[in-house]
Amino acid sequence: QEVPLIPAGSKELRPHRMAIGLYDIEGDAVVLRKSLELDVAGASTEVTEFKGEKVADLVVLNDRDLSYGKLRFDDRSIATLKTHLGKIQNPLTRALAGSATWDMLRDGELAASGYVPMVLNATTTPRSPWLRWPRPSAPAWPRPRWPAR
């Protein structure tokens, strides 16, 4: 983990309880293969339980949203999200991935040219509750009524 930017000069690293999820593309879906819950303390935490595992298509830190923190994805996970974000079977994981990629875009860590197609691709499925587009509707204000002549 990284030291928080606010407050300025902060050096405190907080402990976290989190889950790490390994997800694979199976057919047209992204499904959980393995999950591990652990405590994270300090700048880095070694996770020996995943040694020997096949590389996952998507690695989700803080899966199940057990702690408060910003998520970041590795290049392979970003590639998976670009084509399969809307196909993640678990709705909470799908929401976490959508929110984290938005954070990455906002923080300048993910290009808009990669983010926009990812979101558009994800919205073609009904499994996208993390993203709500405004729908055309009647105006929010009443129409003026002019006096009859």
Side-chain angles (χ1 to χ4, degrees):
Q1 67 177 307
E2 296 175 1
V3 174
L5 300 176
I6 300 174
S10 177
K11 293 185 168 88
E12 182 180 344
L13 295 174
R14 298 179 297 126
H16 297 276
R17 180 75 178 170
M18 68 171 49
I20 301 171
L22 303 182
Y23 289 81
D24 295 319
I25 297 171
E26 290 185 7
D28 199 32
V30 179
V31 296
L32 178 66
R33 174 183 6 127
K34 187 171 186 175
S35 179
L36 173 69
E37 200 170 305
L38 71 155
D39 293 309
V40 175
S44 65
T45 301
E46 185 176 355
V47 183
T48 58
E49 291 84 352
F50 289 146
K51 282 188 179 176
E53 285 285 333
K54 176 184 133 230
V55 176
D57 294 314
L58 173 63
V59 177
V60 181
L61 302 177
N62 197 31
D63 203 13
R64 302 195 313 259
D65 202 22
L66 302 177
S67 187
Y68 179 77
K70 271 188 172 179
L71 308 181
R72 294 298 180 255
F73 294 105
D74 63 301
D75 292 339
R76 183 179 178 115
S77 295
I78 289 291
T80 297
L81 292 170
K82 284 181 178 180
T83 57
H84 287 80
L85 174 60
K87 296 175 181 167
I88 298 172
Q89 296 298 295
N90 182 296
L92 179 57
T93 301
R94 193 170 51 249
L96 284 169
S99 178
T101 54
W102 167 252
D103 285 343
M104 291 176 72
L105 171 73
R106 186 191 62 222
D107 295 345
E109 299 171 350
L110 179 63
S113 60
Y115 178 77
V116 171
M118 178 188 325
V119 172
L120 292 175
N121 186 35
T123 59
T124 61
T125 67
R127 302 178 196 264
S128 305
W130 65 273
L131 183 62
R132 298 284 187 223
W133 293 103
R135 293 190 175 109
S137 62
W141 59 88
R143 293 184 180 201
R145 295 179 189 245
W146 303 106
R149 292 188 182 189

